[in-house]
Amino acid sequence: MIIPFKNSNSVKLTSPYGYRDLNGKQNWHSGYDLVGVGSKEVIAVASGIVIRSRIITNKNNLTWEWGNYVCVKTNDNHYHYYCHLNSRAVVEG
């Protein structure tokens, strides 16, 4: 796994991929939640184009729990989502 932090020497896994207990319910989590230790600056794991850079606050949107997020479409046509960000320093395109 490529660690998406500028200083990838130390990260903490806060929520793994798979089923997890959240507020007393079993929910499927289709990603890895990581926190950088020492550096919280997130970097893309591969070159590509930013296709989304936004915050969702409308709870009717299924992705509202992502908060600030960025989606990068890599040169090999994979999509990488970076969610729960404190802020965003990139724009679409």
Side-chain angles (χ1 to χ4, degrees):
M1 173 191 276
I2 299 171
I3 304 298
F5 289 94
K6 189 167 189 171
N7 177 2
S8 63
N9 294 332
S10 185
V11 296
K12 179 180 178 183
L13 176 66
T14 57
S15 188
Y17 178 86
Y19 283 102
R20 65 182 179 173
D21 284 325
L22 189 61
N23 300 322
K25 293 182 178 180
Q26 279 265 319
N27 290 304
W28 179 256
H29 186 238
S30 59
Y32 293 94
D33 287 358
L34 303 169
V35 174
V37 177
S39 172
K40 298 197 184 319
E41 186 175 342
V42 176
I43 58 173
V45 298
S47 295
I49 297 174
V50 174
I51 61 166
R52 291 283 183 271
S53 178
R54 63 182 173 178
I55 185 168
I56 303 295
T57 57
N58 179 349
K59 291 188 178 182
N60 292 322
N61 186 312
L62 295 176
T63 61
W64 77 269
E65 292 174 333
W66 294 0
N68 273 309
Y69 82 94
V70 172
C71 178
V72 176
K73 181 180 179 185
T74 59
N75 296 335
D76 59 358
N77 289 323
H78 289 97
Y79 293 85
H80 296 265
Y81 289 84
Y82 305 88
C83 305
H84 314 300
L85 302 170
N86 286 332
S87 62
R88 293 167 285 119
V90 296
V91 295
E92 294 177 14

